[in-house]
Amino acid sequence: MQFIALTQDTCAWLLGHSGVMDALQRVLLEEDLGGLKATEFSSGPLRMSGSSDERLLVIWNREYVSGTGSEAWGIFKLSDPCGLQSQPAISRQVLERILYVLNQRLQSLVIDGEFIHRTWPNGLHTCLAGRGTEARQFSIAYFEGGPGYANLTAKAVFAVGPEHNFDHLQNSISANLHDFAPLVELANEIVDQGRRRPLLEAPAFQGLRDAVSPGRAEHRHLGDVNIATEYRTMPEGVSAYAALYWNYNSWIESGTLNEAQRRVLESDALLHHPVRVIGPAGSGKTLLMQLLAMRQLLKAAMKGHGIQILYIVHNAAMAQSVTDRFRALGAEEFLTDLRCSITISTLSEYGRKLINLSDTNLIDKDAYKTKTFQLEQITIALREALANNQNPVAESPLLSQVRDSETLLDVFALLVMAEISTVIKGRGLVDDEKRYTGADAPLSRLHRILSPKERAVIFDCFRRYNHVIFEQYEMLDSDDMALTLSGRLRTPLWSLRRKTEGFDYVFVDEAQLFNENERRIFPYLTKGVTNHVPIALALDEAQEPFGFSTAGLATLGITDIENENLPSIHRSTREIVDLAFFVIQQTTDLFGADFPDFTSTSSGMVPSSHALASPPIIVTCNEEASSYSRFLVKQVQRLRSRNIRQIAVVCHHENYWPDLVRAMEESRLPLHVITQRGEKISPDQPLVILIPARIKTDSWGDSQRRRSVHQFLNWESDLGSWGWRRRSR
């Protein structure tokens, strides 16, 4: 590798973690980096991956990625001459100085006067290469480029050194400056989370892994923890249904908690850093979150201390379900006690009460119903915008295909919904179309691939949607609610009140269902009296609604979060897991390096010999069937004739949903249609459960929707013909 690229936030993070910087310096100087040209190094939040031609190695902290597809990059030369490797003896001091310079200048901050900063007539800058007697005999040089320079869309800095001779430094920069902008573009492509590479498992990088993820004795933990957990079956004679009514002590004393769950509980991790609980469906994320909350409540009550906990869920049905579960765990007194209390609420309901907003001002108190209505209205507005902008749409290969295909329009509406949420509203561009359509720097991954005329069509869609919500219905949508609440929590008044009105701990269940506007609120809900944000988030990347590349949590105010992976799967046999993994492996677009490796779990699954277990079967609808819906009804009736009394039918495409519901209702089957997450189902009644994929129940995620979204986000322009092609298959 000849050059190294780092984002500004990654430079700042490394400067604050000297142990990681030391280990990185050894890797850059001593190890063979060639293996990274086709793989990705992953440890905690740190990521490294290289270009296929072995010219550029990109290093980034995933918690600080903006998700827009364009970062502020600092690039420095690694290879000799005039690279970091040219002076191994002082390379540690030089690396620290380079990171300092990149971090300062990418934020437009001045260089410390002690470093003897000089500006040269040709626009170059130099300063001392490092601390210490020997390092001070050398200098580094750097050049700054901003938007408009060689097609850069954000500020970037290019550095070389160490070197004695100033002429050599200037010649080195001049010789490599033509690569500056292409290297920045290449860095953005490599860090794009939409692409997946195999993980690097080289033992030579173990020192860096250990530095990023230190021993458990150190409370300040920085990264992922991959734990090979073992699932302990229920004690003999105890059914899974009986465990639903266990209290906190029963779970602790039963011996059924796995090693990861027990360790997180006993370590009181939330006292030292934020926690993100990661795991596939059935791994016990929600149970662990509830036990963590109960532990803090019981400890405070025993000591006679006051404590306030907020447990956030996504919709009203989940709030009721979680409340019932806490009552079973023994939290009845804490639901009413003012001194030691737990508040279980949706973010929308909590915000509505905090800002004294009437129900009539909201589309719906339930966030899921609100977002469903939003999507319906945005789809209508998008269809109108495409029809009323005929010339720009006809000139756009992308928008013309969306206009002519209902399937593509449904998928594109999801992207537009996210664009309106996080970019137009989230960045305050509601009344500033020019800043949206004419921005040089990409504001999102979708914004990056659209031309100004195409962006104007999207903004027209927003106007039409906003007119309906504001003018016709005179209501606020979920993003208006989140932004209003965020504005309230950023005021000096809340800074005074949060010590008494804020919460000691915040728990967020199903965190993947909240968008960036909503996630920015979470840190402000705490009392703000600790050095870290005392928050725990349960997250399943496989259930991300649309597979978007979102901003890292550190950019939203939650820094130094620790991941606790729970790879045990309590609801699946090996055959089910193998089938799910086979489906996921059909594309590299959907999941990144942070997707939980649930296939590595050899224990913790329901045994294949279980009475209800059987190998998966694929049944294909034949041409003789009168309709697809009727065919499915017959399959369900056939299963019921074999005394299989509880059957779930998951519909993964909206085009089939109306006919399927109608056919099931006409069949007079004991039908239960799930309309939102958290709905209760009778465990002992013969039922046929019908589930639309958009609900995002505890399944492996809607891969079809995620695949379609990534197809849109991975289009790129062919500058020669303005045709469009897929970047990946």
PDB file of all heavy atoms in Angstrom, residues 374 378 381 413-428 430 436 446 458-463 465-466 477 479-480 483 517:
ATOM      1  N   GLN A 374     -47.374   7.828   6.210  1.00  0.00           N
ATOM      2  CA  GLN A 374     -46.396   8.654   5.516  1.00  0.00           C
ATOM      3  C   GLN A 374     -45.991   8.023   4.192  1.00  0.00           C
ATOM      4  O   GLN A 374     -45.918   8.703   3.155  1.00  0.00           O
ATOM      5  CB  GLN A 374     -45.142   8.839   6.382  1.00  0.00           C
ATOM      6  CG  GLN A 374     -45.293   9.812   7.519  1.00  0.00           C
ATOM      7  CD  GLN A 374     -44.007   9.948   8.303  1.00  0.00           C
ATOM      8  OE1 GLN A 374     -43.936   9.560   9.465  1.00  0.00           O
ATOM      9  NE2 GLN A 374     -42.983  10.486   7.691  1.00  0.00           N
ATOM     10  N   ILE A 378     -46.433   9.625   0.521  1.00  0.00           N
ATOM     11  CA  ILE A 378     -45.243   9.910  -0.281  1.00  0.00           C
ATOM     12  C   ILE A 378     -45.314   9.179  -1.614  1.00  0.00           C
ATOM     13  O   ILE A 378     -44.896   9.708  -2.659  1.00  0.00           O
ATOM     14  CB  ILE A 378     -43.976   9.523   0.506  1.00  0.00           C
ATOM     15  CG1 ILE A 378     -43.730  10.540   1.622  1.00  0.00           C
ATOM     16  CG2 ILE A 378     -42.749   9.446  -0.406  1.00  0.00           C
ATOM     17  CD1 ILE A 378     -42.615  10.177   2.569  1.00  0.00           C
ATOM     18  N   ALA A 381     -47.586  11.242  -3.715  1.00  0.00           N
ATOM     19  CA  ALA A 381     -46.904  12.478  -4.112  1.00  0.00           C
ATOM     20  C   ALA A 381     -45.821  12.208  -5.151  1.00  0.00           C
ATOM     21  O   ALA A 381     -45.629  13.000  -6.087  1.00  0.00           O
ATOM     22  CB  ALA A 381     -46.297  13.152  -2.883  1.00  0.00           C
ATOM     23  N   ALA A 413     -40.092   4.825  -3.532  1.00  0.00           N
ATOM     24  CA  ALA A 413     -40.808   5.635  -2.542  1.00  0.00           C
ATOM     25  C   ALA A 413     -40.191   5.478  -1.155  1.00  0.00           C
ATOM     26  O   ALA A 413     -40.177   6.426  -0.361  1.00  0.00           O
ATOM     27  CB  ALA A 413     -42.287   5.246  -2.512  1.00  0.00           C
ATOM     28  N   LEU A 414     -39.678   4.296  -0.852  1.00  0.00           N
ATOM     29  CA  LEU A 414     -38.992   4.086   0.426  1.00  0.00           C
ATOM     30  C   LEU A 414     -37.746   4.949   0.524  1.00  0.00           C
ATOM     31  O   LEU A 414     -37.453   5.534   1.575  1.00  0.00           O
ATOM     32  CB  LEU A 414     -38.607   2.612   0.572  1.00  0.00           C
ATOM     33  CG  LEU A 414     -39.748   1.610   0.692  1.00  0.00           C
ATOM     34  CD1 LEU A 414     -39.215   0.194   0.546  1.00  0.00           C
ATOM     35  CD2 LEU A 414     -40.443   1.768   2.033  1.00  0.00           C
ATOM     36  N   LEU A 415     -37.003   5.043  -0.571  1.00  0.00           N
ATOM     37  CA  LEU A 415     -35.811   5.877  -0.591  1.00  0.00           C
ATOM     38  C   LEU A 415     -36.173   7.352  -0.447  1.00  0.00           C
ATOM     39  O   LEU A 415     -35.500   8.103   0.264  1.00  0.00           O
ATOM     40  CB  LEU A 415     -35.048   5.657  -1.893  1.00  0.00           C
ATOM     41  CG  LEU A 415     -34.391   4.284  -2.079  1.00  0.00           C
ATOM     42  CD1 LEU A 415     -33.897   4.138  -3.500  1.00  0.00           C
ATOM     43  CD2 LEU A 415     -33.262   4.093  -1.101  1.00  0.00           C
ATOM     44  N   VAL A 416     -37.224   7.768  -1.128  1.00  0.00           N
ATOM     45  CA  VAL A 416     -37.660   9.163  -1.050  1.00  0.00           C
ATOM     46  C   VAL A 416     -38.139   9.481   0.366  1.00  0.00           C
ATOM     47  O   VAL A 416     -37.896  10.576   0.887  1.00  0.00           O
ATOM     48  CB  VAL A 416     -38.765   9.448  -2.083  1.00  0.00           C
ATOM     49  CG1 VAL A 416     -39.320  10.853  -1.907  1.00  0.00           C
ATOM     50  CG2 VAL A 416     -38.224   9.266  -3.493  1.00  0.00           C
ATOM     51  N   MET A 417     -38.803   8.534   1.002  1.00  0.00           N
ATOM     52  CA  MET A 417     -39.255   8.738   2.380  1.00  0.00           C
ATOM     53  C   MET A 417     -38.065   8.985   3.302  1.00  0.00           C
ATOM     54  O   MET A 417     -38.090   9.896   4.146  1.00  0.00           O
ATOM     55  CB  MET A 417     -40.039   7.510   2.848  1.00  0.00           C
ATOM     56  CG  MET A 417     -40.567   7.616   4.265  1.00  0.00           C
ATOM     57  SD  MET A 417     -41.562   6.158   4.690  1.00  0.00           S
ATOM     58  CE  MET A 417     -41.948   6.499   6.407  1.00  0.00           C
ATOM     59  N   ALA A 418     -37.005   8.201   3.151  1.00  0.00           N
ATOM     60  CA  ALA A 418     -35.796   8.400   3.957  1.00  0.00           C
ATOM     61  C   ALA A 418     -35.121   9.722   3.606  1.00  0.00           C
ATOM     62  O   ALA A 418     -34.577  10.414   4.477  1.00  0.00           O
ATOM     63  CB  ALA A 418     -34.835   7.236   3.750  1.00  0.00           C
ATOM     64  N   GLU A 419     -35.150  10.095   2.326  1.00  0.00           N
ATOM     65  CA  GLU A 419     -34.535  11.346   1.882  1.00  0.00           C
ATOM     66  C   GLU A 419     -35.260  12.546   2.493  1.00  0.00           C
ATOM     67  O   GLU A 419     -34.626  13.500   2.971  1.00  0.00           O
ATOM     68  CB  GLU A 419     -34.579  11.423   0.355  1.00  0.00           C
ATOM     69  CG  GLU A 419     -33.769  12.545  -0.248  1.00  0.00           C
ATOM     70  CD  GLU A 419     -32.285  12.250  -0.280  1.00  0.00           C
ATOM     71  OE1 GLU A 419     -31.863  11.206   0.271  1.00  0.00           O
ATOM     72  OE2 GLU A 419     -31.544  13.064  -0.842  1.00  0.00           O
ATOM     73  N   ILE A 420     -36.569  12.513   2.495  1.00  0.00           N
ATOM     74  CA  ILE A 420     -37.349  13.598   3.097  1.00  0.00           C
ATOM     75  C   ILE A 420     -37.080  13.669   4.593  1.00  0.00           C
ATOM     76  O   ILE A 420     -36.920  14.752   5.170  1.00  0.00           O
ATOM     77  CB  ILE A 420     -38.851  13.390   2.819  1.00  0.00           C
ATOM     78  CG1 ILE A 420     -39.141  13.597   1.329  1.00  0.00           C
ATOM     79  CG2 ILE A 420     -39.705  14.325   3.663  1.00  0.00           C
ATOM     80  CD1 ILE A 420     -40.568  13.267   0.929  1.00  0.00           C
ATOM     81  N   SER A 421     -36.986  12.506   5.212  1.00  0.00           N
ATOM     82  CA  SER A 421     -36.806  12.447   6.659  1.00  0.00           C
ATOM     83  C   SER A 421     -35.458  12.991   7.103  1.00  0.00           C
ATOM     84  O   SER A 421     -35.378  13.941   7.891  1.00  0.00           O
ATOM     85  CB  SER A 421     -36.970  10.997   7.133  1.00  0.00           C
ATOM     86  OG  SER A 421     -36.552  10.849   8.468  1.00  0.00           O
ATOM     87  N   THR A 422     -34.369  12.384   6.613  1.00  0.00           N
ATOM     88  CA  THR A 422     -33.043  12.678   7.158  1.00  0.00           C
ATOM     89  C   THR A 422     -32.327  13.825   6.462  1.00  0.00           C
ATOM     90  O   THR A 422     -31.431  14.430   7.045  1.00  0.00           O
ATOM     91  CB  THR A 422     -32.156  11.430   7.096  1.00  0.00           C
ATOM     92  OG1 THR A 422     -32.021  11.016   5.726  1.00  0.00           O
ATOM     93  CG2 THR A 422     -32.764  10.297   7.891  1.00  0.00           C
ATOM     94  N   VAL A 423     -32.701  14.148   5.221  1.00  0.00           N
ATOM     95  CA  VAL A 423     -31.986  15.181   4.477  1.00  0.00           C
ATOM     96  C   VAL A 423     -32.805  16.472   4.419  1.00  0.00           C
ATOM     97  O   VAL A 423     -32.405  17.506   4.955  1.00  0.00           O
ATOM     98  CB  VAL A 423     -31.631  14.701   3.053  1.00  0.00           C
ATOM     99  CG1 VAL A 423     -30.915  15.808   2.286  1.00  0.00           C
ATOM    100  CG2 VAL A 423     -30.746  13.460   3.125  1.00  0.00           C
ATOM    101  N   ILE A 424     -33.962  16.436   3.769  1.00  0.00           N
ATOM    102  CA  ILE A 424     -34.730  17.667   3.571  1.00  0.00           C
ATOM    103  C   ILE A 424     -35.226  18.224   4.905  1.00  0.00           C
ATOM    104  O   ILE A 424     -35.062  19.410   5.205  1.00  0.00           O
ATOM    105  CB  ILE A 424     -35.895  17.424   2.601  1.00  0.00           C
ATOM    106  CG1 ILE A 424     -35.351  17.015   1.218  1.00  0.00           C
ATOM    107  CG2 ILE A 424     -36.761  18.671   2.483  1.00  0.00           C
ATOM    108  CD1 ILE A 424     -36.420  16.699   0.199  1.00  0.00           C
ATOM    109  N   LYS A 425     -35.803  17.361   5.736  1.00  0.00           N
ATOM    110  CA  LYS A 425     -36.271  17.831   7.042  1.00  0.00           C
ATOM    111  C   LYS A 425     -35.141  17.839   8.067  1.00  0.00           C
ATOM    112  O   LYS A 425     -34.976  18.804   8.816  1.00  0.00           O
ATOM    113  CB  LYS A 425     -37.427  16.959   7.531  1.00  0.00           C
ATOM    114  CG  LYS A 425     -38.724  17.173   6.771  1.00  0.00           C
ATOM    115  CD  LYS A 425     -39.875  16.469   7.461  1.00  0.00           C
ATOM    116  CE  LYS A 425     -41.204  16.811   6.793  1.00  0.00           C
ATOM    117  NZ  LYS A 425     -42.359  16.223   7.509  1.00  0.00           N
ATOM    118  N   GLY A 426     -34.367  16.757   8.108  1.00  0.00           N
ATOM    119  CA  GLY A 426     -33.323  16.638   9.123  1.00  0.00           C
ATOM    120  C   GLY A 426     -32.256  17.700   9.013  1.00  0.00           C
ATOM    121  O   GLY A 426     -31.672  18.105  10.019  1.00  0.00           O
ATOM    122  N   ARG A 427     -31.962  18.189   7.806  1.00  0.00           N
ATOM    123  CA  ARG A 427     -30.946  19.225   7.607  1.00  0.00           C
ATOM    124  C   ARG A 427     -31.541  20.628   7.462  1.00  0.00           C
ATOM    125  O   ARG A 427     -30.837  21.570   7.110  1.00  0.00           O
ATOM    126  CB  ARG A 427     -30.098  18.893   6.379  1.00  0.00           C
ATOM    127  CG  ARG A 427     -29.237  17.646   6.548  1.00  0.00           C
ATOM    128  CD  ARG A 427     -28.504  17.315   5.276  1.00  0.00           C
ATOM    129  NE  ARG A 427     -27.657  16.145   5.423  1.00  0.00           N
ATOM    130  CZ  ARG A 427     -26.361  16.174   5.711  1.00  0.00           C
ATOM    131  NH1 ARG A 427     -25.755  17.351   5.883  1.00  0.00           N
ATOM    132  NH2 ARG A 427     -25.664  15.074   5.813  1.00  0.00           N
ATOM    133  N   GLY A 428     -32.837  20.743   7.695  1.00  0.00           N
ATOM    134  CA  GLY A 428     -33.468  22.062   7.669  1.00  0.00           C
ATOM    135  C   GLY A 428     -33.554  22.684   6.296  1.00  0.00           C
ATOM    136  O   GLY A 428     -33.410  23.905   6.145  1.00  0.00           O
ATOM    137  N   VAL A 430     -36.246  22.526   4.280  1.00  0.00           N
ATOM    138  CA  VAL A 430     -37.661  22.549   3.895  1.00  0.00           C
ATOM    139  C   VAL A 430     -37.985  23.744   3.001  1.00  0.00           C
ATOM    140  O   VAL A 430     -38.753  23.628   2.041  1.00  0.00           O
ATOM    141  CB  VAL A 430     -38.545  22.562   5.162  1.00  0.00           C
ATOM    142  CG1 VAL A 430     -40.011  22.770   4.802  1.00  0.00           C
ATOM    143  CG2 VAL A 430     -38.369  21.260   5.935  1.00  0.00           C
ATOM    144  N   TYR A 436     -30.626  22.032  -1.623  1.00  0.00           N
ATOM    145  CA  TYR A 436     -30.780  20.589  -1.820  1.00  0.00           C
ATOM    146  C   TYR A 436     -30.395  20.179  -3.233  1.00  0.00           C
ATOM    147  O   TYR A 436     -29.613  19.251  -3.431  1.00  0.00           O
ATOM    148  CB  TYR A 436     -32.223  20.159  -1.532  1.00  0.00           C
ATOM    149  CG  TYR A 436     -32.457  18.690  -1.808  1.00  0.00           C
ATOM    150  CD1 TYR A 436     -31.997  17.727  -0.934  1.00  0.00           C
ATOM    151  CD2 TYR A 436     -33.112  18.269  -2.968  1.00  0.00           C
ATOM    152  CE1 TYR A 436     -32.185  16.371  -1.189  1.00  0.00           C
ATOM    153  CE2 TYR A 436     -33.310  16.926  -3.237  1.00  0.00           C
ATOM    154  CZ  TYR A 436     -32.844  15.980  -2.342  1.00  0.00           C
ATOM    155  OH  TYR A 436     -33.022  14.650  -2.613  1.00  0.00           O
ATOM    156  N   LEU A 446     -28.504   8.517  -1.798  1.00  0.00           N
ATOM    157  CA  LEU A 446     -29.412   8.765  -2.916  1.00  0.00           C
ATOM    158  C   LEU A 446     -29.098  10.111  -3.546  1.00  0.00           C
ATOM    159  O   LEU A 446     -29.038  10.236  -4.775  1.00  0.00           O
ATOM    160  CB  LEU A 446     -30.862   8.720  -2.438  1.00  0.00           C
ATOM    161  CG  LEU A 446     -31.921   9.042  -3.509  1.00  0.00           C
ATOM    162  CD1 LEU A 446     -31.872   8.010  -4.629  1.00  0.00           C
ATOM    163  CD2 LEU A 446     -33.312   9.098  -2.895  1.00  0.00           C
ATOM    164  N   ILE A 458     -37.469  15.157  -6.798  1.00  0.00           N
ATOM    165  CA  ILE A 458     -37.633  14.663  -5.428  1.00  0.00           C
ATOM    166  C   ILE A 458     -38.155  15.775  -4.527  1.00  0.00           C
ATOM    167  O   ILE A 458     -39.029  15.557  -3.685  1.00  0.00           O
ATOM    168  CB  ILE A 458     -36.291  14.122  -4.886  1.00  0.00           C
ATOM    169  CG1 ILE A 458     -35.755  13.002  -5.787  1.00  0.00           C
ATOM    170  CG2 ILE A 458     -36.458  13.628  -3.455  1.00  0.00           C
ATOM    171  CD1 ILE A 458     -36.677  11.839  -5.970  1.00  0.00           C
ATOM    172  N   PHE A 459     -37.627  16.985  -4.718  1.00  0.00           N
ATOM    173  CA  PHE A 459     -38.081  18.098  -3.879  1.00  0.00           C
ATOM    174  C   PHE A 459     -39.532  18.457  -4.199  1.00  0.00           C
ATOM    175  O   PHE A 459     -40.292  18.852  -3.305  1.00  0.00           O
ATOM    176  CB  PHE A 459     -37.177  19.319  -4.079  1.00  0.00           C
ATOM    177  CG  PHE A 459     -37.176  20.252  -2.906  1.00  0.00           C
ATOM    178  CD1 PHE A 459     -36.277  20.079  -1.869  1.00  0.00           C
ATOM    179  CD2 PHE A 459     -38.090  21.294  -2.820  1.00  0.00           C
ATOM    180  CE1 PHE A 459     -36.275  20.928  -0.769  1.00  0.00           C
ATOM    181  CE2 PHE A 459     -38.099  22.150  -1.728  1.00  0.00           C
ATOM    182  CZ  PHE A 459     -37.188  21.965  -0.702  1.00  0.00           C
ATOM    183  N   ASP A 460     -39.933  18.320  -5.447  1.00  0.00           N
ATOM    184  CA  ASP A 460     -41.333  18.542  -5.815  1.00  0.00           C
ATOM    185  C   ASP A 460     -42.225  17.524  -5.120  1.00  0.00           C
ATOM    186  O   ASP A 460     -43.323  17.849  -4.656  1.00  0.00           O
ATOM    187  CB  ASP A 460     -41.492  18.450  -7.329  1.00  0.00           C
ATOM    188  CG  ASP A 460     -42.917  18.734  -7.777  1.00  0.00           C
ATOM    189  OD1 ASP A 460     -43.564  19.629  -7.186  1.00  0.00           O
ATOM    190  OD2 ASP A 460     -43.402  18.057  -8.697  1.00  0.00           O
ATOM    191  N   CYS A 461     -41.738  16.285  -5.042  1.00  0.00           N
ATOM    192  CA  CYS A 461     -42.473  15.245  -4.313  1.00  0.00           C
ATOM    193  C   CYS A 461     -42.633  15.645  -2.850  1.00  0.00           C
ATOM    194  O   CYS A 461     -43.720  15.506  -2.271  1.00  0.00           O
ATOM    195  CB  CYS A 461     -41.747  13.913  -4.431  1.00  0.00           C
ATOM    196  SG  CYS A 461     -42.420  12.593  -3.390  1.00  0.00           S
ATOM    197  N   PHE A 462     -41.543  16.162  -2.251  1.00  0.00           N
ATOM    198  CA  PHE A 462     -41.627  16.597  -0.853  1.00  0.00           C
ATOM    199  C   PHE A 462     -42.663  17.707  -0.685  1.00  0.00           C
ATOM    200  O   PHE A 462     -43.454  17.688   0.266  1.00  0.00           O
ATOM    201  CB  PHE A 462     -40.264  17.097  -0.374  1.00  0.00           C
ATOM    202  CG  PHE A 462     -40.343  18.010   0.814  1.00  0.00           C
ATOM    203  CD1 PHE A 462     -40.703  17.513   2.064  1.00  0.00           C
ATOM    204  CD2 PHE A 462     -40.110  19.376   0.688  1.00  0.00           C
ATOM    205  CE1 PHE A 462     -40.811  18.357   3.162  1.00  0.00           C
ATOM    206  CE2 PHE A 462     -40.213  20.218   1.766  1.00  0.00           C
ATOM    207  CZ  PHE A 462     -40.564  19.704   3.016  1.00  0.00           C
ATOM    208  N   ARG A 463     -42.661  18.678  -1.591  1.00  0.00           N
ATOM    209  CA  ARG A 463     -43.609  19.784  -1.476  1.00  0.00           C
ATOM    210  C   ARG A 463     -45.056  19.276  -1.503  1.00  0.00           C
ATOM    211  O   ARG A 463     -45.901  19.734  -0.738  1.00  0.00           O
ATOM    212  CB  ARG A 463     -43.390  20.763  -2.627  1.00  0.00           C
ATOM    213  CG  ARG A 463     -42.260  21.753  -2.400  1.00  0.00           C
ATOM    214  CD  ARG A 463     -42.541  23.044  -3.169  1.00  0.00           C
ATOM    215  NE  ARG A 463     -41.399  23.938  -3.108  1.00  0.00           N
ATOM    216  CZ  ARG A 463     -40.462  24.027  -4.039  1.00  0.00           C
ATOM    217  NH1 ARG A 463     -40.522  23.249  -5.107  1.00  0.00           N
ATOM    218  NH2 ARG A 463     -39.458  24.881  -3.911  1.00  0.00           N
ATOM    219  N   TYR A 465     -46.152  16.275  -0.777  1.00  0.00           N
ATOM    220  CA  TYR A 465     -46.422  15.523   0.448  1.00  0.00           C
ATOM    221  C   TYR A 465     -46.634  16.476   1.625  1.00  0.00           C
ATOM    222  O   TYR A 465     -47.577  16.328   2.413  1.00  0.00           O
ATOM    223  CB  TYR A 465     -45.255  14.577   0.732  1.00  0.00           C
ATOM    224  CG  TYR A 465     -45.209  14.067   2.150  1.00  0.00           C
ATOM    225  CD1 TYR A 465     -46.083  13.071   2.583  1.00  0.00           C
ATOM    226  CD2 TYR A 465     -44.305  14.598   3.080  1.00  0.00           C
ATOM    227  CE1 TYR A 465     -46.057  12.612   3.882  1.00  0.00           C
ATOM    228  CE2 TYR A 465     -44.272  14.140   4.383  1.00  0.00           C
ATOM    229  CZ  TYR A 465     -45.143  13.152   4.782  1.00  0.00           C
ATOM    230  OH  TYR A 465     -45.119  12.702   6.081  1.00  0.00           O
ATOM    231  N   ASN A 466     -45.757  17.475   1.738  1.00  0.00           N
ATOM    232  CA  ASN A 466     -45.840  18.413   2.852  1.00  0.00           C
ATOM    233  C   ASN A 466     -47.133  19.234   2.803  1.00  0.00           C
ATOM    234  O   ASN A 466     -47.715  19.562   3.843  1.00  0.00           O
ATOM    235  CB  ASN A 466     -44.626  19.342   2.819  1.00  0.00           C
ATOM    236  CG  ASN A 466     -44.277  19.896   4.181  1.00  0.00           C
ATOM    237  OD1 ASN A 466     -44.222  19.147   5.151  1.00  0.00           O
ATOM    238  ND2 ASN A 466     -44.042  21.193   4.258  1.00  0.00           N
ATOM    239  N   ASP A 477     -46.056  14.782  11.058  1.00  0.00           N
ATOM    240  CA  ASP A 477     -45.682  13.386  10.882  1.00  0.00           C
ATOM    241  C   ASP A 477     -44.633  13.015  11.925  1.00  0.00           C
ATOM    242  O   ASP A 477     -44.259  13.823  12.788  1.00  0.00           O
ATOM    243  CB  ASP A 477     -45.206  13.112   9.451  1.00  0.00           C
ATOM    244  CG  ASP A 477     -43.940  13.876   9.091  1.00  0.00           C
ATOM    245  OD1 ASP A 477     -43.230  14.336  10.000  1.00  0.00           O
ATOM    246  OD2 ASP A 477     -43.656  14.018   7.886  1.00  0.00           O
ATOM    247  N   ASP A 479     -41.440  12.572  11.713  1.00  0.00           N
ATOM    248  CA  ASP A 479     -40.206  13.345  11.660  1.00  0.00           C
ATOM    249  C   ASP A 479     -40.409  14.746  12.225  1.00  0.00           C
ATOM    250  O   ASP A 479     -39.523  15.279  12.905  1.00  0.00           O
ATOM    251  CB  ASP A 479     -39.695  13.423  10.220  1.00  0.00           C
ATOM    252  CG  ASP A 479     -39.210  12.083   9.717  1.00  0.00           C
ATOM    253  OD1 ASP A 479     -38.280  11.537  10.317  1.00  0.00           O
ATOM    254  OD2 ASP A 479     -39.780  11.572   8.740  1.00  0.00           O
ATOM    255  N   ASP A 480     -41.552  15.361  11.936  1.00  0.00           N
ATOM    256  CA  ASP A 480     -41.856  16.658  12.534  1.00  0.00           C
ATOM    257  C   ASP A 480     -41.853  16.549  14.055  1.00  0.00           C
ATOM    258  O   ASP A 480     -41.345  17.420  14.762  1.00  0.00           O
ATOM    259  CB  ASP A 480     -43.223  17.162  12.058  1.00  0.00           C
ATOM    260  CG  ASP A 480     -43.274  17.379  10.557  1.00  0.00           C
ATOM    261  OD1 ASP A 480     -42.255  17.822   9.999  1.00  0.00           O
ATOM    262  OD2 ASP A 480     -44.316  17.091   9.952  1.00  0.00           O
ATOM    263  N   LEU A 483     -38.166  16.089  15.277  1.00  0.00           N
ATOM    264  CA  LEU A 483     -37.388  17.322  15.172  1.00  0.00           C
ATOM    265  C   LEU A 483     -37.861  18.374  16.177  1.00  0.00           C
ATOM    266  O   LEU A 483     -37.052  19.129  16.725  1.00  0.00           O
ATOM    267  CB  LEU A 483     -37.481  17.874  13.747  1.00  0.00           C
ATOM    268  CG  LEU A 483     -36.794  17.021  12.674  1.00  0.00           C
ATOM    269  CD1 LEU A 483     -37.160  17.505  11.279  1.00  0.00           C
ATOM    270  CD2 LEU A 483     -35.285  17.034  12.867  1.00  0.00           C
ATOM    271  N   ASN A 517     -33.220  10.954  12.690  1.00  0.00           N
ATOM    272  CA  ASN A 517     -33.844  12.045  13.453  1.00  0.00           C
ATOM    273  C   ASN A 517     -34.238  11.581  14.842  1.00  0.00           C
ATOM    274  O   ASN A 517     -34.095  12.319  15.829  1.00  0.00           O
ATOM    275  CB  ASN A 517     -35.082  12.570  12.716  1.00  0.00           C
ATOM    276  CG  ASN A 517     -34.741  13.271  11.419  1.00  0.00           C
ATOM    277  OD1 ASN A 517     -33.634  13.782  11.254  1.00  0.00           O
ATOM    278  ND2 ASN A 517     -35.675  13.294  10.483  1.00  0.00           N
TER     279      ASN A 517
END
